[in-house]
Amino acid sequence: MSTLDIDKALDAITDWQEESYIHLHQNPELSMQETETCDFIEAELEKLGYRVQRIGGGVVGVLENGEGATVLFRADIDALPVKESTGLEYASTITRTDENGNEVPAMHACGHDFHIMANLGAARVLSENTDAWSGTHIALFQPGEETAAGAKSMVEDGLVDKLPKPDVALGQHVLAGPMRSGQVGTHAGPILSTGASIKVTLHGKGSHGSMPHLGVDPVVLASAIVLRLQTVVSREINPFDMAVLTVGSVQAGSKSNIIPDSAQLLINIRAYDMAVREQLLAGIKRVVVAECEAANCPQAPEFELYDSYPLTDNDVETTEKVTKAFVDHFGADRVMDCGEVSASEDFSFIPDAFGVDYCYWGFGGFEAGAQTYPNHNPAFGPVMQPTLRTGTEAAIVACLAWLKE
């Protein structure tokens, strides 16, 4: 088996990779609508000799190269309804139609365009250097991460039955920090929080603003609930356990002198422990129900759980193996422990469906000393290089940790 010169291989594909990245950045598609993106990915994988399938709104390429391990590498592909303000020459100016039929701006405000091209770049290098590894490489491109729908859709469409079972699943995410561009960060155990959103509908009784005694005011009720919910984390969760409860939206009424008959709260939670997640959900329901009873609501509140994300909990041995491979390739100064990140991901639905271990890591997107913006911010614009190259290197090196055994 020959030795793969990763630097030389990446030098040879830099122009293609950067041009393709700019194309994807300028043509973002919203969650579960990634038709053009999937067409692009499928065409590229077919050029590289991968056996390609469309599964659950995503694209999967399989390249079999003799005996050995089977490694699945996943990249998410969807964008966000955000108007870009990065100032980049190749900034997105496109609009898309959202699920409600509204025309909205679209932007890769979470860096999934980097993820796509890192995965495609790794696929190209591996396909063009089959004498340097042995086994099976699965390049999986998943839709709908931003709504927690994509991984589930692929699993429900028979992902497990349509692919060879991997020995390990790998994935990564470009981040604003703590890594700088050119660095990677791993973490054993929980690395991304479990998360969920809850829509709460409160039922009051409408009345004239001058006659509050004839109604049940859902605005006052919603205000009381928002304040009371702040005590769920501060007074019910162990201070040593991570928990976040955010009320991101309160909607009620349309005019100053009308007491509306309903109000709506949108609540988001995060935790690194499933028991804490359940404690948060139970606390929310208990507080809302009690406040509604105290307000003498004519109807019980309604709860809708959506955008539910699993805990991303890296296998210790798998993470140690990936970390060692990174240190051997990048050097210890470019590899760090990124710690726990409070964002959430649906990646782990895929390895959990196969029943295999996984490792998920981060790589930096902003240069040291540069102004940084968090993922989902309209100004989130990671520097193209060395970010793109580092993400591609990380994908190749992690896969080869199994494919060269």
Side-chain angles (χ1 to χ4, degrees):
M1 187 178 294
S2 65
T3 300
L4 173 59
D5 187 334
I6 295 177
D7 286 333
K8 182 179 180 181
L10 290 179
D11 286 342
I13 68 170
T14 295
D15 289 345
W16 162 79
Q17 200 170 28
E18 292 184 354
E19 290 169 4
S20 298
Y21 165 76
I22 290 172
H23 166 75
L24 292 169
H25 189 86
Q26 291 180 323
N27 294 277
E29 293 181 288
L30 301 179
S31 303
M32 305 310 294
Q33 299 179 24
E34 304 94 328
T35 306
E36 297 169 13
T37 305
C38 285
D39 289 344
F40 174 84
I41 294 167
E42 181 174 12
E44 292 297 324
L45 288 173
E46 287 179 341
K47 292 176 189 175
L48 300 175
Y50 280 72
R51 175 170 55 86
V52 184
Q53 300 181 70
R54 296 287 186 105
I55 304 176
V59 181
V60 186
V62 177
L63 184 63
E64 296 176 343
N65 185 39
E67 298 295 323
T70 297
V71 178
L72 184 153
F73 194 95
R74 173 268 200 181
D76 40 11
I77 65 176
D78 53 332
L80 287 157
V82 172
K83 184 175 178 60
E84 182 164 352
S85 63
T86 59
L88 293 169
E89 292 181 0
Y90 50 87
S92 168
T93 59
I94 205 166
T95 60
R96 300 289 186 184
T97 304
D98 68 11
E99 68 274 13
N100 298 315
N102 301 315
E103 197 75 8
V104 296
M107 174 193 174
H108 270 297
C110 205
H112 296 182
D113 42 359
F114 279 100
H115 303 170
I116 296 169
M117 288 315 304
N119 202 2
L120 278 177
R124 181 163 174 175
V125 168
L126 291 174
S127 71
E128 293 177 351
N129 295 273
T130 52
D131 58 341
W133 60 279
S134 181
T136 299
H137 179 239
I138 302 174
L140 186 148
F141 298 83
Q142 180 212 300
E145 184 276 330
E146 297 293 355
T147 58
K152 288 180 180 178
S153 75
M154 297 188 80
V155 172
E156 290 170 358
D157 194 30
L159 179 74
V160 172
D161 297 324
K162 294 177 179 178
L163 297 179
K165 183 177 179 179
D167 294 289
V168 66
L170 306 170
Q172 63 182 354
H173 207 299
V174 61
L175 298 169
M179 299 80 64
R180 67 176 186 271
S181 183
Q183 290 183 315
V184 295
T186 60
H187 184 75
I191 183 171
L192 298 174
S193 68
T194 176
S197 293
I198 308 98
K199 180 170 75 174
V200 179
T201 302
L202 308 172
H203 297 284
K205 182 180 178 182
S207 182
H208 196 288
S210 67
M211 305 172 189
H213 59 293
L214 300 179
V216 175
D217 193 337
V219 176
V220 173
L221 171 61
S223 301
I225 289 172
V226 170
L227 292 176
R228 182 71 183 182
L229 286 176
Q230 307 310 304
T231 67
V232 174
V233 172
S234 68
R235 290 297 177 267
E236 297 184 28
I237 305 297
N238 187 321
F240 291 98
D241 292 330
M242 178 272 192
V244 175
L245 191 164
T246 296
V247 181
S249 174
V250 181
Q251 301 289 329
S254 60
K255 203 170 185 294
S256 64
N257 65 345
I258 299 175
I259 293 174
D261 59 6
S262 67
Q264 185 183 88
L265 304 177
L266 299 181
I267 305 169
N268 187 258
I269 61 169
R270 310 281 169 154
Y272 286 129
D273 186 287
M274 294 302 290
V276 174
R277 169 194 162 104
E278 294 307 310
Q279 189 177 355
L280 288 170
L281 291 172
I284 290 168
K285 186 171 184 179
R286 187 190 69 250
V287 167
V288 171
V289 169
E291 290 288 353
C292 287
E293 290 178 354
N296 197 28
C297 290
Q299 185 178 337
E302 298 171 24
F303 300 87
E304 178 189 341
L305 186 70
Y306 65 101
D307 287 1
S308 184
Y309 290 88
L311 180 69
T312 305
D313 189 0
N314 281 336
D315 175 68
V316 174
E317 291 185 4
T318 304
T319 305
E320 288 176 349
K321 188 170 182 174
V322 170
T323 303
K324 181 181 183 303
F326 284 169
V327 171
D328 290 344
H329 175 76
F330 292 110
D333 60 323
R334 293 179 61 190
V335 182
M336 63 183 296
D337 187 326
C338 65
E340 297 169 333
V341 181
S342 57
S344 301
E345 255 279 2
D346 67 348
F347 158 75
S348 63
F349 281 130
I350 291 172
D352 285 350
F354 282 105
V356 301
D357 294 328
Y358 61 84
C359 178
Y360 192 89
W361 63 87
F363 62 105
F366 293 85
E367 295 176 319
Q371 175 68 53
T372 62
Y373 298 91
N375 301 68
H376 291 213
N377 187 292
F380 180 76
V383 60
M384 188 189 302
Q385 297 292 9
T387 306
L388 184 55
R389 188 181 183 104
T390 301
T392 309
E393 286 181 85
I396 296 168
V397 169
C399 288
L400 288 179
W402 280 263
L403 296 174
K404 292 200 72 171
E405 288 181 332

